[in-house]
Amino acid sequence: MPLLAAAVCPHPPLIVPELAGAAAPELAELRAACAAAVAALYAAGADTVVLVGAGERTTELALPRRGSFAPWGLPLTVGLATAGGDPVPPSGDVEPVSPPADDEPLPLSLLVGAWLVDRTAPPAPTAWRMVSVASDEPADRCAALGAGLRVDGPWALLVLGDGSACHGPKAPGYDDPRAGAYDEGVARALADADADALLGLDPELSAQLRVAGRPAWQVLAGAVRTAGGDWHGELRHHGVPYGVGYLVASWTRTDPTGPTGPDGTPAGDTGTAAGGVTR
């Protein structure tokens, strides 16, 4: 079934207002852009939203699953229920959800993703999936993972990832003069829905510039390239507060039914479940 839309959002812990404290207003525009990007996924008509973000390994995480912002100083727990269920309400509102057998901490990218979808609740029942991509996954494997995602019914991607953390001497990765050009290139690719440009991002350079989003962006590119069709990109936000590049974008399919083969089935629909890629 067709991939209808994608949203790209960063995953700084300070996006949570309670964690940001007095600095919360500084990221108000970023939060609003992320909320609009997530809402656009629902507006596209997706029945399933697949969250993709960098983590320690490449695998699909079983649901339900919870994660906590406690390591960043906030005792807030968020998560997603089983596929087809609603987001898990914050801890304190309901009894804790039993973790799956293969429970492991949520990587920061997917933790923030769960917070975003919980904050921007879908207007209709939505199925959820979570895919972690190893931070050092080669570009071709990221693309293959995106190409191999197979979802029943119309679906969308929520892609979590920061740009370079090397913007200025106070940045987490200190100052690197290459950071500006790198993030500007990503911004253009997101604005133009240019999958090839994202696939061309160099993993080694990305690692040097402390770019957390590179693997997830390339999963998006692989999924869109395989889905085919015409896509429209919109860059909703691009800033470098705290020395880190934060980019928010929406990609929307302009031919919602997608290309079809001679037998009328979606062209290029030969993928496998994301859980088949694990290491």
Side-chain angles (χ1 to χ4, degrees):
M1 295 298 292
L3 171 64
L4 297 180
V8 174
C9 296
H11 53 71
L14 289 179
I15 198 171
V16 181
E18 298 87 344
L19 185 56
E26 297 178 12
L27 297 182
E29 183 179 336
L30 172 64
R31 292 186 197 95
C34 289
V38 173
L41 298 182
Y42 308 144
D47 293 337
T48 301
V49 176
V50 181
L51 283 68
V52 179
E56 292 186 359
R57 64 191 181 105
T58 299
T59 188
E60 179 161 358
L61 303 180
L63 300 180
R65 190 175 298 270
R66 280 184 177 274
S68 175
F69 285 96
W72 293 272
L74 179 68
L76 172 67
T77 301
V78 295
L80 293 180
T82 53
D86 295 325
V88 178
S91 58
D93 295 344
V94 296
E95 291 298 318
V97 174
S98 299
D102 67 339
D103 185 43
E104 63 183 78
L106 279 178
L108 176 61
S109 60
L110 297 179
L111 179 66
V112 171
W115 181 83
L116 286 173
V117 297
D118 178 61
R119 183 172 183 260
T120 310
T126 302
W128 311 99
R129 287 168 64 178
M130 279 188 167
V131 177
S132 168
V133 189
S135 299
D136 61 349
E137 198 71 82
D140 59 343
R141 285 178 58 86
C142 293
L145 175 57
L149 288 170
R150 187 166 186 167
V151 182
D152 293 331
W155 61 292
L157 279 166
L158 174 55
V159 179
L160 290 310
D162 296 347
S164 174
C166 297
H167 292 278
K170 294 184 178 181
Y174 196 59
D175 184 38
D176 192 311
R178 300 172 295 176
Y182 182 101
D183 277 2
E184 286 295 337
V186 174
R188 287 193 300 272
L190 294 177
D192 297 338
D194 189 342
D196 289 339
L198 293 181
L199 290 174
L201 295 174
D202 178 43
E204 183 176 352
L205 175 61
S206 302
Q208 293 171 1
L209 294 177
R210 302 275 298 270
V211 178
R214 190 274 309 171
W217 297 336
Q218 290 181 329
V219 171
L220 163 65
V224 167
R225 187 173 65 175
T226 297
D230 297 322
W231 290 81
H232 170 75
E234 177 184 358
L235 185 66
R236 295 180 179 271
H237 181 85
H238 180 199
V240 291
Y242 318 122
V244 182
Y246 297 152
L247 302 106
V248 182
S250 292
W251 285 17
T252 307
R253 191 175 201 139
T254 57
D255 58 335
T257 59
T260 58
D263 59 353
T265 59
D269 187 16
T270 59
T272 57
V277 181
T278 305
R279 78 172 190 181

